[in-house]
Amino acid sequence: MLEKLGESKAIAKKRYLSMEKRLNANPEMKALYSTFMHEYLSMGHMTEVVNDDEESGPEYYLPHHAVLKPDSTTTKLRVVFNASCSTDSGVSLNDVLMVGPVVQDDLRSILLRFRLFKYAVVGDAEKMYRMVWQHELDQLLHKIFWRDSVQEPLRTYKLSTVTYGTSSTPYLATRCLNKCAEDGAERYPVASVVVKKSF
């Protein structure tokens, strides 16, 4: 199935240079974008590919762009990776990925159970998708171009964690959460049930 992807490197480079041009026209957005990318790098969620020619196996370059939410109190700018972008074969990464089944309860059941108790605890798994590591071979399908300045050479990076923008991400993240609940069932029986049933 992956052989249908075709060549994405040249197309992705052209798309990146076009996006970079738009970013450079807006210094404030460019600064926010750079901050986001540096966080990604410093957290180990992406690593630089030192010698792209030594990588073997199918590869895919993800185009990326900014989504700006000026009213947000936490993240004003988020970089979105687009795995629905076609290569020269007309096929995208999302076209060849298995989506996976729904593994969490439906929202109606969760909301009805929420009303059964006098007290409720609400939480958020921060950067949930980015807490799930990808197999090294799968990282070849999550390459991007990036540089801070046009004076620098264009660099290639691999995204090390599950990437929002890919169709399999919701399944992978919730399946990992369920696996953590299963693994912790003996030690934390009450929490395990809550994580599996009410997330």
Side-chain angles (χ1 to χ4, degrees):
M1 201 61 176
L2 291 175
E3 61 275 1
K4 293 181 179 178
L5 277 177
E7 178 59 54
S8 70
K9 188 173 186 176
I11 295 169
K13 191 178 284 190
K14 189 185 288 187
R15 285 183 177 132
Y16 173 79
L17 293 172
S18 174
M19 185 275 302
E20 182 182 63
K21 195 174 180 181
R22 288 191 305 274
L23 267 185
N24 288 333
N26 186 338
E28 184 183 345
M29 186 180 282
K30 171 70 187 247
L32 289 169
Y33 208 101
S34 288
T35 300
F36 185 97
M37 296 303 269
H38 281 278
E39 180 199 62
Y40 231 88
L41 195 54
S42 68
M43 293 180 80
H45 295 172
M46 72 178 186
T47 54
E48 187 173 357
V49 176
V50 181
N51 191 345
D52 213 5
D53 298 330
E54 288 180 6
E55 305 269 69
S56 62
E59 61 182 10
Y60 181 84
Y61 289 79
L62 290 161
H64 48 96
H65 63 276
V67 171
L68 194 60
K69 292 184 179 177
D71 301 335
S72 174
T73 55
T74 54
T75 310
K76 297 205 180 301
L77 180 137
R78 174 171 284 167
V79 175
V80 175
F81 303 99
N82 185 0
S84 292
C85 225
S86 300
T87 62
D88 61 348
S89 69
V91 177
S92 72
L93 180 60
N94 277 344
D95 291 334
V96 298
L97 286 177
M98 291 180 69
V99 176
V102 175
V103 292
Q104 72 266 34
D105 271 7
D106 66 289
L107 190 55
R108 182 182 298 130
S109 300
I110 293 170
L111 289 173
L112 288 173
R113 274 197 306 277
F114 186 78
R115 297 173 54 93
L116 293 175
F117 303 97
K118 186 175 181 179
Y119 301 103
V121 178
V122 179
D124 178 31
E126 185 180 1
K127 295 179 176 64
M128 182 175 165
Y129 292 170
R130 288 169 54 187
M131 295 297 121
V132 180
W133 295 94
Q134 294 195 85
H135 189 279
E136 202 162 321
L137 288 175
D138 293 337
Q139 292 175 25
L140 298 177
L141 297 168
H142 295 80
K143 288 184 175 181
I144 64 165
F145 290 113
W146 171 250
R147 62 182 170 187
D148 272 324
S149 158
V150 291
Q151 281 74 42
E152 297 176 6
L154 196 54
R155 292 185 171 90
T156 301
Y157 295 89
K158 292 186 291 190
L159 303 182
S160 312
T161 60
V162 168
T163 307
Y164 42 88
T166 58
S167 56
S168 57
T169 295
Y171 167 75
L172 293 171
T174 51
R175 177 64 189 103
C176 284
L177 189 69
N178 280 359
K179 178 69 172 136
C180 288
E182 289 164 12
D183 291 350
E186 194 173 312
R187 190 166 179 196
Y188 306 104
V190 175
S192 175
V193 171
V194 170
V195 168
K196 287 194 80 170
K197 289 288 202 179
S198 300
F199 191 85

